[in-house]
Amino acid sequence: MHLLADRALFWPRERALLIADLHLGKADTFRSAGIALPSGGTRYDLRRLSAMLETTSATRLIVLGDLLHSSAIERSWRDAWEPWQSSHADLNIDVVAGNHDRALHALDLDISIHDGEIELAPFALRHAPKPTRLAHIVCGHLHPVVRMPGIARRWPVFVMNEGLTILPAFSAFTGGFDISATNGRLAVCNGKNIALWG
């Protein structure tokens, strides 16, 4: 597995790019509730995703849950998603349904939806961490972030432990769960570089 600084894993053997927590349309949901936020977040995230697909030559995208934001206004995120998906017509897309993906089965998105997990030895690909003795878990859900000494802002991180790897949220517009170096080996992402810590 290759850790990518823009919050994704690349698995060369499977030619697969793995991300978690894309949350399509989340900002639109906040705007519809009267919270002033800039538009374009979904398109920005999809541009980042396109760049990584091109760089890695991945033929498969695996989303580890929360492709959607549950209450997202469908028309708004579809206006970005459908042209993006058309431009990647040969890409196989698998989604492990997450807690925000309640509407996913009812939508016609031309993707493979998996409830629970995808087993690809030696890994079990899930949305939320649930330890098992049978496989190394790769998941998302927690949106892990860390505060580095002397730096005011929080940074997304990969959390790596024996038997468990947690991906940072892929979406640029997500909150984060503060963790520390005591939670395992961390790989801190700033979009251009990765720094190992802990």
Side-chain angles (χ1 to χ4, degrees):
M1 291 277 195
H2 296 225
L3 280 67
L4 304 181
D6 211 3
R7 311 181 198 186
L9 283 179
F10 177 56
W11 190 358
R13 187 192 84 187
E14 299 291 327
R15 296 187 66 190
L17 190 68
L18 282 69
I19 65 169
D21 303 288
L22 183 55
H23 287 280
L24 292 173
K26 184 174 182 179
D28 299 319
T29 300
F30 279 70
R31 279 194 301 279
S32 70
I35 300 169
L37 289 171
S39 61
T42 294
R43 284 183 171 80
Y44 172 72
D45 288 337
L46 293 175
R47 280 196 304 272
R48 291 171 46 226
L49 190 50
S50 290
M52 282 188 280
L53 289 167
E54 182 176 346
T55 300
T56 61
S57 299
T59 58
R60 184 178 188 185
L61 173 66
I62 303 175
V63 182
L64 303 178
D66 292 352
L67 174 74
L68 308 176
H69 193 71
S70 54
S71 57
I73 301 162
E74 184 179 340
R75 186 188 72 251
S76 188
W77 63 260
R78 273 191 182 264
D79 287 347
W81 172 261
E82 289 177 352
W84 180 87
Q85 192 175 19
S86 294
S87 71
H88 298 282
D90 294 332
L91 181 67
N92 294 310
I93 302 174
D94 292 275
V95 178
V96 178
N99 56 298
H100 283 278
D101 289 321
R102 291 182 286 276
L104 197 57
H105 285 285
L107 302 171
D108 182 19
L109 296 180
D110 192 26
I111 60 176
S112 297
I113 302 170
H114 306 264
D115 293 316
E117 68 181 29
I118 300 172
E119 292 183 18
L120 280 175
F123 303 110
L125 310 177
R126 298 180 176 173
H127 178 54
K130 291 181 183 175
T132 175
R133 295 172 189 240
L134 302 177
H136 183 100
I137 302 299
V138 181
C139 64
H141 183 57
L142 298 181
H143 303 197
V145 295
V146 70
R147 292 185 189 277
M148 303 287 286
I151 301 174
R153 67 168 289 184
R154 303 182 310 165
W155 297 96
V157 293
F158 293 91
V159 182
M160 297 168 287
N161 288 297
E162 186 174 347
L164 176 67
T165 298
I166 305 170
L167 275 63
F170 184 79
S171 174
F173 180 60
T174 53
F177 176 70
D178 282 300
I179 60 167
S180 73
T182 60
N183 291 96
R185 189 162 174 91
L186 308 181
V188 185
C189 311
N190 73 359
K192 297 182 186 287
N193 299 295
I194 289 219
L196 294 178
W197 190 44

PDB file of all heavy atoms in Angstrom, residues 48-69:
ATOM      1  N   ARG A  48      -9.437  16.647  -7.163  1.00  0.00           N
ATOM      2  CA  ARG A  48      -8.334  16.005  -6.441  1.00  0.00           C
ATOM      3  C   ARG A  48      -8.309  14.510  -6.732  1.00  0.00           C
ATOM      4  O   ARG A  48      -7.253  13.913  -6.952  1.00  0.00           O
ATOM      5  CB  ARG A  48      -8.477  16.233  -4.932  1.00  0.00           C
ATOM      6  CG  ARG A  48      -8.251  17.646  -4.489  1.00  0.00           C
ATOM      7  CD  ARG A  48      -8.628  17.868  -3.017  1.00  0.00           C
ATOM      8  NE  ARG A  48      -8.122  16.833  -2.145  1.00  0.00           N
ATOM      9  CZ  ARG A  48      -8.860  16.223  -1.197  1.00  0.00           C
ATOM     10  NH1 ARG A  48     -10.134  16.541  -1.027  1.00  0.00           N
ATOM     11  NH2 ARG A  48      -8.327  15.297  -0.442  1.00  0.00           N
ATOM     12  N   LEU A  49      -9.498  13.917  -6.725  1.00  0.00           N
ATOM     13  CA  LEU A  49      -9.611  12.487  -6.983  1.00  0.00           C
ATOM     14  C   LEU A  49      -9.150  12.148  -8.402  1.00  0.00           C
ATOM     15  O   LEU A  49      -8.407  11.180  -8.618  1.00  0.00           O
ATOM     16  CB  LEU A  49     -11.051  12.051  -6.751  1.00  0.00           C
ATOM     17  CG  LEU A  49     -11.361  10.567  -6.732  1.00  0.00           C
ATOM     18  CD1 LEU A  49     -10.429   9.802  -5.803  1.00  0.00           C
ATOM     19  CD2 LEU A  49     -12.816  10.349  -6.335  1.00  0.00           C
ATOM     20  N   SER A  50      -9.552  12.954  -9.371  1.00  0.00           N
ATOM     21  CA  SER A  50      -9.116  12.739 -10.764  1.00  0.00           C
ATOM     22  C   SER A  50      -7.598  12.795 -10.883  1.00  0.00           C
ATOM     23  O   SER A  50      -6.990  11.985 -11.589  1.00  0.00           O
ATOM     24  CB  SER A  50      -9.740  13.789 -11.689  1.00  0.00           C
ATOM     25  OG  SER A  50     -11.112  13.578 -11.841  1.00  0.00           O
ATOM     26  N   ALA A  51      -6.987  13.751 -10.198  1.00  0.00           N
ATOM     27  CA  ALA A  51      -5.526  13.886 -10.263  1.00  0.00           C
ATOM     28  C   ALA A  51      -4.836  12.643  -9.726  1.00  0.00           C
ATOM     29  O   ALA A  51      -3.848  12.156 -10.301  1.00  0.00           O
ATOM     30  CB  ALA A  51      -5.085  15.119  -9.473  1.00  0.00           C
ATOM     31  N   MET A  52      -5.351  12.071  -8.649  1.00  0.00           N
ATOM     32  CA  MET A  52      -4.735  10.863  -8.088  1.00  0.00           C
ATOM     33  C   MET A  52      -4.966   9.648  -8.974  1.00  0.00           C
ATOM     34  O   MET A  52      -4.089   8.788  -9.098  1.00  0.00           O
ATOM     35  CB  MET A  52      -5.248  10.619  -6.674  1.00  0.00           C
ATOM     36  CG  MET A  52      -4.565  11.520  -5.673  1.00  0.00           C
ATOM     37  SD  MET A  52      -4.976  11.100  -3.984  1.00  0.00           S
ATOM     38  CE  MET A  52      -6.553  11.882  -3.853  1.00  0.00           C
ATOM     39  N   LEU A  53      -6.144   9.555  -9.584  1.00  0.00           N
ATOM     40  CA  LEU A  53      -6.399   8.451 -10.505  1.00  0.00           C
ATOM     41  C   LEU A  53      -5.438   8.506 -11.686  1.00  0.00           C
ATOM     42  O   LEU A  53      -4.920   7.483 -12.138  1.00  0.00           O
ATOM     43  CB  LEU A  53      -7.851   8.491 -10.991  1.00  0.00           C
ATOM     44  CG  LEU A  53      -8.911   8.128  -9.953  1.00  0.00           C
ATOM     45  CD1 LEU A  53     -10.300   8.502 -10.458  1.00  0.00           C
ATOM     46  CD2 LEU A  53      -8.848   6.641  -9.593  1.00  0.00           C
ATOM     47  N   GLU A  54      -5.173   9.711 -12.169  1.00  0.00           N
ATOM     48  CA  GLU A  54      -4.253   9.867 -13.291  1.00  0.00           C
ATOM     49  C   GLU A  54      -2.824   9.532 -12.876  1.00  0.00           C
ATOM     50  O   GLU A  54      -2.110   8.811 -13.584  1.00  0.00           O
ATOM     51  CB  GLU A  54      -4.320  11.298 -13.831  1.00  0.00           C
ATOM     52  CG  GLU A  54      -3.431  11.514 -15.030  1.00  0.00           C
ATOM     53  CD  GLU A  54      -3.568  12.906 -15.619  1.00  0.00           C
ATOM     54  OE1 GLU A  54      -4.525  13.624 -15.268  1.00  0.00           O
ATOM     55  OE2 GLU A  54      -2.701  13.270 -16.423  1.00  0.00           O
ATOM     56  N   THR A  55      -2.417  10.020 -11.723  1.00  0.00           N
ATOM     57  CA  THR A  55      -1.050   9.792 -11.249  1.00  0.00           C
ATOM     58  C   THR A  55      -0.770   8.317 -10.998  1.00  0.00           C
ATOM     59  O   THR A  55       0.307   7.814 -11.317  1.00  0.00           O
ATOM     60  CB  THR A  55      -0.798  10.585  -9.952  1.00  0.00           C
ATOM     61  OG1 THR A  55      -0.984  11.972 -10.224  1.00  0.00           O
ATOM     62  CG2 THR A  55       0.595  10.352  -9.411  1.00  0.00           C
ATOM     63  N   THR A  56      -1.747   7.610 -10.438  1.00  0.00           N
ATOM     64  CA  THR A  56      -1.540   6.201 -10.075  1.00  0.00           C
ATOM     65  C   THR A  56      -1.910   5.224 -11.182  1.00  0.00           C
ATOM     66  O   THR A  56      -1.541   4.054 -11.119  1.00  0.00           O
ATOM     67  CB  THR A  56      -2.380   5.843  -8.834  1.00  0.00           C
ATOM     68  OG1 THR A  56      -3.773   6.038  -9.135  1.00  0.00           O
ATOM     69  CG2 THR A  56      -1.977   6.691  -7.625  1.00  0.00           C
ATOM     70  N   SER A  57      -2.668   5.678 -12.182  1.00  0.00           N
ATOM     71  CA  SER A  57      -3.230   4.799 -13.226  1.00  0.00           C
ATOM     72  C   SER A  57      -4.125   3.726 -12.619  1.00  0.00           C
ATOM     73  O   SER A  57      -4.223   2.609 -13.140  1.00  0.00           O
ATOM     74  CB  SER A  57      -2.125   4.150 -14.068  1.00  0.00           C
ATOM     75  OG  SER A  57      -1.368   5.137 -14.732  1.00  0.00           O
ATOM     76  N   ALA A  58      -4.797   4.053 -11.520  1.00  0.00           N
ATOM     77  CA  ALA A  58      -5.722   3.117 -10.888  1.00  0.00           C
ATOM     78  C   ALA A  58      -6.895   2.831 -11.825  1.00  0.00           C
ATOM     79  O   ALA A  58      -7.370   3.721 -12.529  1.00  0.00           O
ATOM     80  CB  ALA A  58      -6.231   3.688  -9.566  1.00  0.00           C
ATOM     81  N   THR A  59      -7.360   1.592 -11.805  1.00  0.00           N
ATOM     82  CA  THR A  59      -8.525   1.198 -12.601  1.00  0.00           C
ATOM     83  C   THR A  59      -9.741   0.926 -11.714  1.00  0.00           C
ATOM     84  O   THR A  59     -10.818   0.620 -12.210  1.00  0.00           O
ATOM     85  CB  THR A  59      -8.218  -0.060 -13.426  1.00  0.00           C
ATOM     86  OG1 THR A  59      -7.830  -1.121 -12.541  1.00  0.00           O
ATOM     87  CG2 THR A  59      -7.104   0.205 -14.429  1.00  0.00           C
ATOM     88  N   ARG A  60      -9.524   1.016 -10.397  1.00  0.00           N
ATOM     89  CA  ARG A  60     -10.598   0.738  -9.440  1.00  0.00           C
ATOM     90  C   ARG A  60     -10.558   1.773  -8.322  1.00  0.00           C
ATOM     91  O   ARG A  60      -9.487   2.107  -7.819  1.00  0.00           O
ATOM     92  CB  ARG A  60     -10.414  -0.666  -8.869  1.00  0.00           C
ATOM     93  CG  ARG A  60     -11.508  -1.119  -7.927  1.00  0.00           C
ATOM     94  CD  ARG A  60     -11.246  -2.549  -7.467  1.00  0.00           C
ATOM     95  NE  ARG A  60     -12.364  -3.086  -6.705  1.00  0.00           N
ATOM     96  CZ  ARG A  60     -12.364  -4.275  -6.112  1.00  0.00           C
ATOM     97  NH1 ARG A  60     -11.293  -5.057  -6.216  1.00  0.00           N
ATOM     98  NH2 ARG A  60     -13.415  -4.687  -5.434  1.00  0.00           N
ATOM     99  N   LEU A  61     -11.727   2.281  -7.975  1.00  0.00           N
ATOM    100  CA  LEU A  61     -11.870   3.190  -6.845  1.00  0.00           C
ATOM    101  C   LEU A  61     -12.695   2.474  -5.779  1.00  0.00           C
ATOM    102  O   LEU A  61     -13.786   1.985  -6.070  1.00  0.00           O
ATOM    103  CB  LEU A  61     -12.574   4.486  -7.267  1.00  0.00           C
ATOM    104  CG  LEU A  61     -12.933   5.461  -6.142  1.00  0.00           C
ATOM    105  CD1 LEU A  61     -11.682   6.021  -5.481  1.00  0.00           C
ATOM    106  CD2 LEU A  61     -13.819   6.588  -6.681  1.00  0.00           C
ATOM    107  N   ILE A  62     -12.173   2.416  -4.565  1.00  0.00           N
ATOM    108  CA  ILE A  62     -12.912   1.825  -3.450  1.00  0.00           C
ATOM    109  C   ILE A  62     -13.146   2.911  -2.411  1.00  0.00           C
ATOM    110  O   ILE A  62     -12.185   3.478  -1.876  1.00  0.00           O
ATOM    111  CB  ILE A  62     -12.154   0.631  -2.828  1.00  0.00           C
ATOM    112  CG1 ILE A  62     -11.875  -0.437  -3.894  1.00  0.00           C
ATOM    113  CG2 ILE A  62     -12.939   0.049  -1.656  1.00  0.00           C
ATOM    114  CD1 ILE A  62     -11.030  -1.596  -3.417  1.00  0.00           C
ATOM    115  N   VAL A  63     -14.406   3.223  -2.174  1.00  0.00           N
ATOM    116  CA  VAL A  63     -14.779   4.245  -1.200  1.00  0.00           C
ATOM    117  C   VAL A  63     -15.201   3.528   0.078  1.00  0.00           C
ATOM    118  O   VAL A  63     -16.166   2.764   0.076  1.00  0.00           O
ATOM    119  CB  VAL A  63     -15.921   5.145  -1.717  1.00  0.00           C
ATOM    120  CG1 VAL A  63     -16.251   6.229  -0.699  1.00  0.00           C
ATOM    121  CG2 VAL A  63     -15.546   5.769  -3.059  1.00  0.00           C
ATOM    122  N   LEU A  64     -14.484   3.789   1.160  1.00  0.00           N
ATOM    123  CA  LEU A  64     -14.737   3.104   2.430  1.00  0.00           C
ATOM    124  C   LEU A  64     -15.792   3.851   3.238  1.00  0.00           C
ATOM    125  O   LEU A  64     -15.554   4.306   4.348  1.00  0.00           O
ATOM    126  CB  LEU A  64     -13.432   2.967   3.220  1.00  0.00           C
ATOM    127  CG  LEU A  64     -12.314   2.226   2.487  1.00  0.00           C
ATOM    128  CD1 LEU A  64     -11.053   2.177   3.340  1.00  0.00           C
ATOM    129  CD2 LEU A  64     -12.757   0.828   2.096  1.00  0.00           C
ATOM    130  N   GLY A  65     -16.950   3.989   2.645  1.00  0.00           N
ATOM    131  CA  GLY A  65     -18.092   4.562   3.344  1.00  0.00           C
ATOM    132  C   GLY A  65     -18.254   6.058   3.198  1.00  0.00           C
ATOM    133  O   GLY A  65     -17.310   6.795   2.943  1.00  0.00           O
ATOM    134  N   ASP A  66     -19.503   6.480   3.362  1.00  0.00           N
ATOM    135  CA  ASP A  66     -19.914   7.885   3.286  1.00  0.00           C
ATOM    136  C   ASP A  66     -19.518   8.537   1.961  1.00  0.00           C
ATOM    137  O   ASP A  66     -18.916   9.604   1.921  1.00  0.00           O
ATOM    138  CB  ASP A  66     -19.386   8.678   4.488  1.00  0.00           C
ATOM    139  CG  ASP A  66     -20.060   8.253   5.785  1.00  0.00           C
ATOM    140  OD1 ASP A  66     -21.025   7.459   5.726  1.00  0.00           O
ATOM    141  OD2 ASP A  66     -19.631   8.707   6.859  1.00  0.00           O
ATOM    142  N   LEU A  67     -19.890   7.872   0.873  1.00  0.00           N
ATOM    143  CA  LEU A  67     -19.791   8.509  -0.440  1.00  0.00           C
ATOM    144  C   LEU A  67     -20.643   9.761  -0.432  1.00  0.00           C
ATOM    145  O   LEU A  67     -20.248  10.803  -0.951  1.00  0.00           O
ATOM    146  CB  LEU A  67     -20.284   7.549  -1.536  1.00  0.00           C
ATOM    147  CG  LEU A  67     -20.371   8.131  -2.943  1.00  0.00           C
ATOM    148  CD1 LEU A  67     -18.974   8.277  -3.534  1.00  0.00           C
ATOM    149  CD2 LEU A  67     -21.241   7.266  -3.842  1.00  0.00           C
ATOM    150  N   LEU A  68     -21.823   9.666   0.166  1.00  0.00           N
ATOM    151  CA  LEU A  68     -22.779  10.766   0.205  1.00  0.00           C
ATOM    152  C   LEU A  68     -22.821  11.389   1.593  1.00  0.00           C
ATOM    153  O   LEU A  68     -22.379  10.799   2.565  1.00  0.00           O
ATOM    154  CB  LEU A  68     -24.186  10.250  -0.109  1.00  0.00           C
ATOM    155  CG  LEU A  68     -24.382   9.426  -1.369  1.00  0.00           C
ATOM    156  CD1 LEU A  68     -25.817   8.943  -1.448  1.00  0.00           C
ATOM    157  CD2 LEU A  68     -24.021  10.240  -2.593  1.00  0.00           C
ATOM    158  N   HIS A  69     -23.381  12.581   1.652  1.00  0.00           N
ATOM    159  CA  HIS A  69     -23.800  13.126   2.931  1.00  0.00           C
ATOM    160  C   HIS A  69     -25.302  12.897   2.985  1.00  0.00           C
ATOM    161  O   HIS A  69     -26.030  13.317   2.099  1.00  0.00           O
ATOM    162  CB  HIS A  69     -23.450  14.603   3.070  1.00  0.00           C
ATOM    163  CG  HIS A  69     -23.598  15.088   4.467  1.00  0.00           C
ATOM    164  ND1 HIS A  69     -22.733  14.708   5.458  1.00  0.00           N
ATOM    165  CD2 HIS A  69     -24.519  15.883   5.052  1.00  0.00           C
ATOM    166  CE1 HIS A  69     -23.107  15.260   6.599  1.00  0.00           C
ATOM    167  NE2 HIS A  69     -24.184  15.975   6.382  1.00  0.00           N
TER     168      HIS A  69
END
